């Protein structure tokens, strides 16, 4: 498969690129800065320099044409303010989804956040973030032209992955290593029967392939 990842230099994205490339997939990662390209090439991915905060839908669609799947893994980051939660976590996600529709890429996986909710209340930066992610998720969920899966991990850690997770519509609060998030994303891309599902993810006791097959009904 050819897979295009938005936010290609992110911590989860780089892990995912390594996994996908090792499986023999052709992977491209969208990045904002050309100097990030070497890290993507080292992970086995083709760097594509494009700013999702300013690019047009057609410009993004051009990068997506010919892809079998798209993954939105971009984020404004923990140090960003309220404005970029709107332009990246919401705006760029909607732009990327619209571009996938225009490019004819049906398989679309979103890295969201546990607690994402368009009706979340509060004015702190994290409140705005959860609302932005929720609004983006709701937009994607309304697109019949996409075979979408939304993944909402719990608190992310840099601990080594265990390969053991809990993946359900509702898991309750918990943490999960970024390694395991990437492993689940790779498995979701290989499991189109997870289309139409919004899933929460934390560490657990089920091997990643088993957990994904379970939610897919296999």
């Amino acid at each position: 498969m050819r897979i295009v990842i938005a936010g290609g230099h992110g911590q989860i994205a780089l892990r995912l690129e390594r996994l996908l490339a090792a499986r023999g997939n052709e992977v491209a990662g969208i990045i904002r800065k050309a100097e990030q390209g070497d890290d993507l090439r080292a992970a086995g991915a083709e760097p594509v320099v494009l700013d999702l905060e300013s690019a047009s839908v057609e410009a993004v669609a051009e990068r997506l044409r010919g892809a079998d799947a798209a993954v939105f893994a971009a984020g404004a980051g923990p140090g960003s303010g309220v404005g970029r939660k709107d332009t990246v976590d919401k705006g760029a996600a909607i732009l990327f989804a619209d571009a996938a529709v225009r490019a004819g890429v049906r398989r679309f996986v979103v890295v969201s956040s546990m607690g994402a909710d368009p009706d979340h209340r509060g004015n702190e930066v994290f409140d705005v973030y959860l609302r932005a992610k929720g609004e983006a998720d709701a937009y994607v969920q309304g697109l019949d032209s996409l075979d979408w899966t939304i993944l909402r991990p719990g608190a992310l850690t840099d601990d080594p992955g265990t390969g053991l997770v809990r993946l359900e519509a509702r898991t309750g609060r918990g943490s999960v290593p970024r390694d395991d998030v990437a492993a689940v994303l790779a498995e979701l891309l290989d499991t189109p029967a997870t289309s139409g599902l919004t899933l929460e993810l934390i560490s657990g006791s089920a091997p990643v392939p088993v957990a994904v097959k379970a939610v897919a009904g296999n």
Side-chain angles (χ1 to χ4, degrees):
M1 292 201 306
R2 176 172 171 79
I3 301 154
V4 179
I5 302 172
H9 195 255
Q11 295 184 68
I12 291 172
L14 285 168
R15 289 167 165 85
L16 177 60
E17 287 155 5
R18 290 188 199 98
L19 289 175
L20 294 175
R23 293 183 178 194
N25 295 290
E26 182 183 341
V27 189
I30 296 176
I31 53 177
R32 293 179 63 211
K33 301 174 183 177
E35 56 267 29
Q36 297 170 334
D38 286 345
D39 290 337
L40 270 73
R41 282 184 279 266
E46 167 201 348
V48 176
V49 181
L50 187 68
D51 187 348
L52 293 177
E53 288 181 90
S54 59
S56 67
V57 172
E58 185 52 45
V60 181
E62 190 61 34
R63 304 305 199 282
L64 282 166
R65 285 196 175 90
D68 299 291
V71 179
F72 185 81
S80 59
V82 167
R84 296 199 70 229
K85 305 304 182 194
D86 189 62
T87 58
V88 179
D89 294 295
K90 177 185 174 182
I94 290 173
L95 172 74
F96 198 58
D98 285 342
V101 171
R102 185 169 296 197
V105 181
R106 288 201 63 94
R107 189 71 177 112
F108 194 84
V109 177
V110 177
V111 183
S112 184
S113 174
M114 190 174 291
D117 181 352
D119 298 318
H120 181 84
R121 297 188 178 187
N123 297 309
E124 298 298 322
V125 172
F126 193 65
D127 296 320
V128 176
Y129 167 76
L130 291 176
R131 197 157 51 242
K133 294 296 280 187
E135 289 170 348
D137 290 355
Y139 185 85
V140 170
Q141 289 163 339
L143 293 174
D144 293 336
S145 300
L146 295 180
D147 296 328
W148 53 264
T149 304
I150 294 172
L151 183 65
R152 293 177 170 172
L156 300 170
T157 76
D158 288 323
D159 296 337
T162 66
L164 299 173
V165 298
R166 183 177 176 190
L167 180 69
E168 299 170 13
R170 293 284 183 271
T171 62
R173 295 286 174 179
S175 62
V176 61
R178 288 178 172 87
D179 287 349
D180 289 336
V181 177
V184 168
L185 289 168
E187 202 70 28
L188 289 172
L189 286 165
D190 274 346
T191 313
T194 58
S195 297
L197 299 180
T198 300
L199 301 165
E200 294 184 350
L201 172 67
I202 57 174
S203 292
S205 58
V208 168
V210 173
V212 173
K213 284 186 175 71
V215 295
N218 297 329

